[in-house]
Amino acid sequence: MGRGVYLAMEASGMVLPALATPVAIHGVLDGKAEQGWWLLDQVPGGLVGQTVLLGLVAILGIAYGGWAHLQLQPSTEQGAPSA
């Protein structure tokens, strides 16, 4: 994959948690509020299920972006003598 693909993956890995985390926190603090995403209405478990799903989306986004970030780093050889 090219550098642009990894940059796009890294950016989406930052955007996913940025969108999911505030919605999850708002849902926990204000239980009567609607999550605002029609897809979340289909999640079993009510508010708890929706919050867990949003938390998982945030964690996976962080892992996804971190992996892409590591792929962009120049590789250093292991065990190479240092000067």
Side-chain angles (χ1 to χ4, degrees):
M1 284 191 249
R3 181 171 170 80
V5 173
Y6 287 121
L7 287 173
M9 290 169 65
E10 185 179 9
S12 65
M14 291 186 301
V15 169
L16 282 174
L19 293 176
T21 303
V23 173
I25 291 172
H26 181 70
V28 169
L29 295 178
D30 187 8
K32 296 177 184 175
E34 292 292 323
Q35 294 287 14
W37 296 352
W38 63 269
L39 183 60
L40 290 178
D41 293 337
Q42 307 301 321
V43 176
L47 178 62
V48 173
Q50 293 171 355
T51 305
V52 167
L53 176 68
L54 288 170
L56 287 174
V57 167
I59 290 170
L60 289 175
I62 291 168
Y64 184 68
W67 178 82
H69 179 74
L70 290 176
Q71 299 303 313
L72 287 171
Q73 300 298 319
S75 61
T76 58
E77 294 184 35
Q78 296 294 328
S82 59

